Amino acid sequence: MAEPQNFMRVPDPTPKRTLYTDAMEIFHRAADTIGLAPRVRLELEEPDYEHIFYVTAKLKDRLRPLSPEAARSFGDLPATQVRDPNGLERLADGQILLNGKALLGSDVNIRRGHLRLPDGGVYQLIPGESQRFKAYRVQHNQARGPYKGGIRYHREVSLDLFKALAAEMTWKTAIAEVPFGGGKGGIQIDPRQYGKEELEAITLRFMYKLKRLIGPNIDIPAPDVGTNGEIMALMMRQYLDGENERHVGRAIVTGKDVRIGGSEGRVKATGQGVIYCVEDYYADRGETLKGKTFIVQGFGNVGSYAAEIFAGLGGRLLAVNDYDGTIYNPDGIDVPALLAYVADPKNLKRSVAGFPGAQKIDKKDFWEVQAEVLIPAALGGEITGEIAEKVRCKLIAEGANGPTTPEADRVLLKRGIDLIPDIIANAGGVTVSYYEWIQNKRMESWTEAEVNAKLEHALKRNYRIIRDISRNNPRKTEMHDSRPFCVGKQVEPRLAAMILALKRIEAHYIIEGFSQ
Ligand code: NAD
């Protein structure tokens, strides 16, 4: 007979370091600092639920471009005259998708599965096949309210990443004082390689499967990297399809278009929130943003609005790095012109690369551009220990989630570079999502000025509490009260932010107790 221990899995004595364990390092430090109740630590250490499921979709036929060498053997292939050029949808990777009856009624010349378009290029016809995508929803904690967090469409996602991002939402909603918990999810997909109608089919199928797991009072998704208001509209439609009381369910997602129940100010809320924090950082020193130089990584939703608002307050943008390139102009980049360049439909990659009003530089040189403020607004883990040694800014305002690794944190602290941590700096998005949710529930719509005034108050008030915790300066002012949160010693800003989150979450467990 086998020994009993053969049937038991012995836990690894030194658990593997993962992105999630890295992200939770600060949680454990804060928990130790405040002596978090042990059972609350267990509740928060791992998510409530981790859902993994699969989504399938039928793709459309595609035209894949041949290299000039490969195209040579089709030298005498006559061009195909496409009668409906709108049926050809150009994707960022150079492929062309055939929509509807793109080639029907055209003079088509196909040889060995290849055709030439009027632009001269030779393309291979790839028949549309069905594809399977891996999808996730992690629901981290709901002690303070329904799970809340974005939907990411990106090739590099994993359960580990969504766990880290969902936990981060639990901290962020507590810091922003909105009555939500934390969640995050999405699909492993590069959305730029799929057509509009394909993304619609994938999104509808995703929501079809997600529906049983979420609800306007259970778990409320929002846009994140690779998704936007259009995707939210599809998710809402699918969730409410056929429901009798559709109008009361609009709060199922936030980040919707204003015309279908979205909130004024939501689209730019995250970038706006980053700048409210930066403004307050300088106000504390008796300074304004006028004349301050800054650089931005990522020029999507968060980065572009942060840049626009910062520049509108007199700041000077010196460099931008995104997925496809880096641009630099020591005299300052014309932000409205850059926004127009990125939004131009001809700019398929929506990238800053090739912007005529700046010079191209290498990504590694981006980090070394001297500027007062660095705003990382791309993906996580970008500022490593090595990069932290090189940066030449005085303040990092984290627009992205988790852009700075724990090792980089230690380097920045040693080098005296200030930090506005992500869980307050980019909390503007979830704060205005909460306003959208309330407006949906109450069937109201607020003006942008009302939204911004509330957002500014919420972020500055909580950022001041975090600064007070960090400096160990317990006090009550008209705007905020940091006395219940200071811990009797100075702590770095990221730890201070986590202390605020944990004290607010712990109160629920201490006062309400645990359901059995
Ligand atoms: P987005 O998809 O609109 O834009 C992402 C930008 O990052 C693009 O400009 C892209 O080119 C760039 N990028 C991607 N990979 C890169 C790389 N390897 N190097 C350099 N640049 C790269 O996404 P977003 O909504 O602006 O989100 C950006 C960050 O902000 C993410 O970390 C997200 O989780 C966080 N965030 C977003 C919101 C929101 O409301 N959208 C709220 C809170 C936090």
Side-chain angles (χ1 to χ4, degrees):
M1 214 177 85
E3 292 292 313
Q5 62 263 36
N6 287 351
F7 295 105
M8 295 194 314
R9 286 187 48 205
V10 180
D12 188 345
T14 49
K16 218 171 62 205
R17 246 189 79 181
T18 67
L19 205 141
Y20 184 63
T21 59
D22 267 8
M24 291 299 280
E25 204 185 291
I26 190 76
F27 161 79
H28 288 290
R29 283 183 50 217
D32 290 343
T33 307
I34 63 170
L36 184 74
R39 187 164 171 193
V40 177
R41 188 192 288 240
L42 289 178
E43 286 285 335
L44 293 171
E45 219 167 19
E46 292 290 342
D48 288 348
Y49 303 99
E50 299 169 2
H51 305 285
I52 295 182
F53 52 102
Y54 295 87
V55 174
T56 61
K58 171 89 169 70
L59 302 184
K60 299 192 172 213
D61 298 338
R62 284 162 157 64
L63 297 175
R64 183 187 293 158
L66 289 196
S67 66
E69 300 81 65
R72 240 172 256 144
S73 60
F74 294 92
D76 59 345
L77 177 65
T80 284
Q81 297 306 326
V82 183
R83 189 154 299 170
D84 177 15
N86 293 331
L88 302 182
E89 186 178 351
R90 285 177 190 275
L91 304 179
D93 63 0
Q95 300 202 30
I96 298 175
L97 206 128
L98 297 174
N99 274 320
K101 301 181 172 66
L103 295 182
L104 210 72
S106 306
D107 296 326
V108 182
N109 295 294
I110 296 181
R111 186 182 301 161
R112 283 184 279 122
H114 292 75
L115 57 75
R116 180 189 300 283
L117 288 183
D119 67 5
V122 177
Y123 295 80
Q124 184 186 2
L125 258 164
I126 311 282
E129 289 179 347
S130 294
Q131 200 175 336
R132 182 179 55 229
F133 303 89
K134 195 167 186 178
Y136 304 81
R137 185 70 183 171
V138 175
Q139 296 167 323
H140 179 261
N141 187 271
Q142 58 166 353
R144 300 183 65 262
Y147 304 107
K148 181 89 189 84
I151 296 293
R152 183 173 288 198
Y153 284 5
H154 197 259
R155 204 156 37 188
E156 283 143 42
V157 297
S158 62
L159 180 62
D160 201 50
L161 173 72
F162 282 129
K163 280 175 68 177
L165 293 172
E168 174 147 327
M169 287 307 295
T170 302
W171 323 138
K172 199 180 298 179
T173 48
I175 284 175
E177 281 185 300
V178 296
F180 291 136
K184 203 86 172 193
I187 309 181
Q188 190 170 47
I189 183 174
D190 179 354
R192 304 193 308 175
Q193 291 184 7
Y194 297 87
K196 201 166 155 22
E197 289 179 15
E198 289 175 333
L199 285 172
E200 175 173 336
I202 293 163
T203 301
L204 294 179
R205 190 72 184 159
F206 173 60
M207 188 47 138
Y208 176 81
K209 295 215 164 171
L210 189 64
K211 184 169 175 176
R212 68 189 61 222
L213 308 173
I214 67 172
N217 297 317
I218 300 169
D219 183 355
I220 306 124
D224 188 63
V225 178
T227 60
N228 52 26
E230 284 169 38
I231 301 282
M232 293 307 115
L234 294 170
M235 290 182 70
M236 179 176 78
R237 187 181 96 205
Q238 179 73 327
Y239 185 85
L240 298 176
D241 220 8
E243 297 287 340
N244 274 336
E245 299 185 11
R246 298 186 68 232
H247 54 285
V248 293
R250 288 189 183 276
I252 179 59
V253 287
T254 58
K256 300 179 289 287
D257 188 302
V258 176
R259 292 164 294 183
I260 59 166
S263 176
E264 293 289 350
R266 171 62 184 91
V267 181
K268 50 171 142 169
T270 306
Q272 176 72 71
V274 173
I275 303 308
Y276 281 144
C277 290
V278 175
E279 211 180 12
D280 206 54
Y281 169 91
Y282 282 109
D284 183 52
R285 303 163 166 245
E287 296 173 38
T288 69
L289 298 192
K290 203 163 165 40
K292 295 276 182 299
T293 52
F294 67 105
I295 61 175
V296 177
Q297 187 197 31
F299 208 70
N301 175 284
V302 180
S304 66
Y305 281 115
E308 186 183 26
I309 296 164
F310 201 148
L313 293 168
R316 199 149 51 91
L317 176 63
L318 300 186
V320 183
N321 162 251
D322 73 10
Y323 185 78
D324 300 287
T326 310
I327 58 169
Y328 170 63
N329 184 342
D331 300 325
I333 292 170
D334 179 344
V335 178
L338 181 61
L339 289 166
Y341 176 80
V342 171
D344 187 332
K346 289 199 286 292
N347 186 344
L348 287 176
K349 293 186 169 170
R350 299 270 177 273
S351 171
V352 301
F355 177 62
Q359 68 191 76
K360 177 177 172 231
I361 58 168
D362 276 350
K363 181 170 181 176
K364 66 175 174 30
D365 298 325
F366 167 78
W367 301 111
E368 295 184 42
V369 171
Q370 188 157 10
E372 314 257 354
V373 187
L374 160 61
I375 302 177
L379 297 185
E382 282 287 314
I383 304 177
T384 58
E386 198 184 325
I387 286 170
E389 292 283 3
K390 290 188 196 152
V391 292
R392 291 165 72 201
C393 59
K394 294 186 188 137
L395 171 69
I396 297 181
E398 294 184 326
N401 284 317
T404 312
T405 65
E407 191 198 344
D409 261 353
R410 288 185 275 274
V411 174
L412 295 175
L413 203 61
K414 188 188 71 193
R415 293 189 56 208
I417 294 171
D418 279 342
L419 181 87
I420 308 180
D422 50 4
I423 45 182
I424 178 72
N426 70 29
V430 75
T431 306
V432 178
S433 273
Y434 168 56
Y435 302 157
E436 177 175 336
W437 187 79
I438 304 182
Q439 290 172 71
N440 291 161
K441 297 234 157 211
R442 295 191 192 158
M443 303 217 176
E444 290 179 1
S445 75
W446 305 349
T447 65
E448 187 173 349
E450 279 176 87
V451 167
N452 281 345
K454 275 177 174 292
L455 175 65
E456 180 173 8
H457 184 267
L459 288 189
K460 289 187 174 174
R461 165 187 146 76
N462 284 300
Y463 181 37
R464 285 175 197 182
I465 297 178
I466 292 169
R467 275 206 310 260
D468 284 357
I469 300 172
S470 178
R471 293 171 183 163
N472 190 29
N473 179 22
R475 63 189 168 130
K476 184 175 183 334
T477 67
E478 232 170 55
M479 195 169 178
H480 77 295
D481 184 0
S482 58
R483 293 170 304 173
F485 305 107
C486 290
V487 291
K489 62 174 180 183
Q490 295 190 357
V491 292
E492 77 260 27
R494 198 185 300 285
L495 189 56
M498 187 59 90
I499 286 170
L500 176 61
L502 292 190
K503 285 202 168 202
R504 283 189 178 150
I505 298 163
E506 186 184 39
H508 281 262
Y509 286 107
I510 303 280
I511 302 167
E512 296 176 23
F514 298 83
S515 298
Q516 300 293 339

